Amino acid sequence: SSSSSIWLLAAAHAALLLTAAAAERVAAYPTSSPLIRALLDSGAHASIAAAVWTVAEILLWLRLQEDDGASKLPITNHQQQNLNHSHRGAAVAGHDGWMIQRSRLSHARLLTSALAVGSCAALSSLIDIDHFVAARSLQLHDATHLSQRPPLHAIPAVLLTAALFAVFARLRCVPSPWKMRLPSMVLAAWLSHHLRDGTRRGLSFAPLLFDTPPLSSLVYYALLLCLPSLSHWLMRGRDVH
């Protein structure tokens, strides 16, 4: 029902906020080890991205449930009469076959959603590889002491990469559930990463040569809550079954 959907979405968004707040507490754990500090920071990015995409998958699941309900073939009066006469077995078999097909589809969607959440978390952490590329070194100290932000830590680079993923998904033989998940996932993973970094250094719009001031907590959490809806909107009308 609509009321249960509203409560589910409210709980999911609340869980997203709690995950983001908890991630900050864990990442701020005092440690003298640069490696542990980097791992905690990477884990915070991954957990927030996973929470963002989980909400996006819930939004998508609710929409697909509505689509399934609209396309479901209920038993008509004529079929009901058949149930009482000679075609009873055929009518029951047809209805049971629909239920089995729907169950298999639900399991496939659940598996796809779980893989998507894990992939989004991984993407959010893997973006930091560009630190090492920009430093031209595999040393953690060099990667974390750059004179300027690495290339993928700018909003235009994220938008361009997501657009390239969208083109790739259309040109290549990408399975339909991932065609629009891929670019949306890149945006969700990397924008959540940027927003969290933005609380300390602001958002970068290089090469447009300007950065924003550091984001306040209110702005950060508000924008973070918008990411699942943005991701879902980008997937609307696409084949994501």
Side-chain angles (χ1 to χ4, degrees):
S1 64
S2 59
S3 60
S4 60
S5 298
I6 292 174
W7 280 108
L8 175 60
L9 289 176
H13 283 85
L16 170 56
L17 289 178
L18 290 175
T19 300
E24 290 305 319
R25 295 291 297 272
V26 173
Y29 181 81
T31 176
S32 59
S33 170
L35 177 59
I36 294 178
R37 188 181 304 113
L39 290 176
L40 289 175
D41 187 69
S42 180
H45 282 303
S47 61
I48 293 171
V52 167
W53 196 258
T54 297
V55 180
E57 287 288 341
I58 291 174
L59 287 167
L60 177 60
W61 178 77
L62 291 174
R63 174 164 65 87
L64 293 179
Q65 287 292 104
E66 292 180 358
D67 294 345
D68 287 347
S71 62
K72 179 180 177 180
L73 299 177
I75 297 178
T76 63
N77 291 333
H78 177 68
Q79 289 174 321
Q80 187 64 43
Q81 293 175 1
N82 287 339
L83 287 173
N84 299 324
H85 296 88
S86 60
H87 295 89
R88 177 185 179 91
V92 171
H95 188 259
D96 288 349
W98 180 87
M99 292 298 292
I100 293 173
Q101 183 179 7
R102 182 178 182 182
S103 176
R104 290 175 177 173
L105 183 60
S106 297
H107 283 88
R109 286 176 180 170
L110 181 61
L111 177 59
T112 300
S113 296
L115 289 174
V117 169
S119 299
C120 190
L123 281 171
S124 184
S125 294
L126 289 175
I127 188 178
D128 279 333
I129 290 178
D130 69 344
H131 279 270
F132 296 92
V133 174
R136 298 181 181 179
S137 171
L138 295 178
Q139 298 298 318
L140 183 60
H141 180 273
D142 297 337
T144 55
H145 290 78
L146 299 173
S147 59
Q148 58 185 8
R149 299 192 199 193
L152 291 180
H153 281 66
I155 299 295
V158 174
L159 299 178
L160 176 60
T161 304
L164 292 176
F165 267 87
V167 172
F168 172 81
R170 287 184 172 278
L171 295 180
R172 299 291 180 177
C173 297
V174 178
S176 58
W178 298 93
K179 282 187 182 295
M180 286 310 297
R181 270 186 173 93
L182 283 176
S184 301
M185 197 182 301
V186 169
L187 280 178
W190 290 1
L191 286 181
S192 68
H193 188 115
H194 282 234
L195 290 175
R196 181 169 177 266
D197 283 352
T199 60
R200 299 185 293 270
R201 297 185 291 271
L203 300 176
S204 173
F205 287 86
L208 302 179
L209 303 178
F210 76 91
D211 296 345
T212 70
L215 303 179
S216 66
S217 296
L218 179 62
V219 172
Y220 166 58
Y221 288 122
L223 292 176
L224 195 64
L225 287 174
C226 293
L227 283 184
S229 295
L230 172 63
S231 302
H232 176 248
W233 178 78
L234 290 173
M235 291 188 290
R236 283 192 69 86
R238 309 292 182 175
D239 186 5
V240 290
H241 290 65

